[in-house]
């Protein structure tokens, strides 16, 4: 109710997913409200279409993705620690509260940072694959595909969930 009330007072609203946009359209009174989906700010963060062949697998996220990581951590760690995992590849984990990952697998860990520094890092460092394990439930259906936008910005391919928000070019679904 509160969100719909605020949206009715606005001319333009931005949302993180199409499912949130559809839900908002059902609950607001103003039918001429402009709803803008998640988007990459290419004015502040210029996209350089240089695709990477770096031998890296990257995850990024905050503590709010803890359940997502825990859902898939054992299979990821088994793969990372197996003899079949190419030894010249590197895992990057960008975020906070990753102590439970550090116990399971060797990788380069980067603390989360402000958005400007983060995009500079995406631009400067080369990434091959971004992976986005997502525990699938009603709550996570509202999480955005911003990781896909960031992976594309970094020149990486994306391994992501087979959900409506993730039906985008360059995503391989699990």
């Amino acid at each position: 109710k509160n969100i719909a009330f605020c949206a009715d007072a606005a001319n333009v609203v931005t949302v993180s997913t199409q499912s949130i946009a559809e839900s908002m359209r059902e609950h607001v009174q103003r039918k001429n409200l402009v709803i803008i989906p998640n988007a990459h700010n290419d004015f502040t963060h210029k996209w350089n279409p240089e695709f990477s062949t770096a031998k890296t697998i990257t995850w990024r996220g905050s503590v709010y993705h803890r359940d997502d990581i825990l859902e898939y951590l054992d299979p990821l760690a088994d793969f990372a620690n197996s003899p079949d995992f190419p030894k010249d590849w590197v895992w990057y984990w960008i975020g906070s509260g990753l102590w439970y990952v550090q116990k399971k697998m060797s990788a380069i860990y980067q603390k989360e940072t402000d958005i400007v520094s983060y995009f500079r890092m995406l631009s400067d460092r080369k990434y091959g694959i971004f992976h986005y394990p997502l525990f699938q439930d009603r709550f996570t259906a509202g999480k955005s595909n911003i990781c896909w936008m960031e992976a594309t910005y970094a020149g990486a391919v994306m391994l992501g969930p087979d959900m409506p928000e993730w039906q985008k070019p360059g995503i391989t679904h699990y």
Side-chain angles (χ1 to χ4, degrees), residues 55-57 79-91 129:
K55 295 179 177 183
T56 61
I57 301 175
F79 174 61
N81 297 320
S82 80
D84 295 330
F85 184 74
K87 299 305 176 208
D88 56 342
W89 279 68
V90 176
W91 288 86
I129 299 170

Side-chain angles (χ1 to χ4, degrees), residues 104-120:
K104 298 254 183 186
M105 59 190 294
S106 175
I108 295 172
Y109 295 92
Q110 169 79 42
K111 287 187 175 184
E112 60 188 313
T113 185
D114 64 89
I115 192 69
V116 173
S117 298
Y118 175 64
F119 273 95
R120 187 172 299 124

Side-chain angles (χ1 to χ4, degrees), residues 128-140:
I129 299 170
F130 265 59
H131 70 101
Y132 192 75
L134 189 61
F135 180 77
Q136 296 188 22
D137 63 11
R138 189 167 182 242
F139 174 74
T140 58

Side-chain angles (χ1 to χ4, degrees), residues 1 15 21 26 41 45 54 70 79 82 104 138-139 145 171:
K1 279 183 159 178
V15 296
E26 292 174 16
N41 181 343
H45 308 288
L70 290 176
F79 174 61
S82 80
K104 298 254 183 186
R138 189 167 182 242
F139 174 74
N145 61 12
I171 299 177

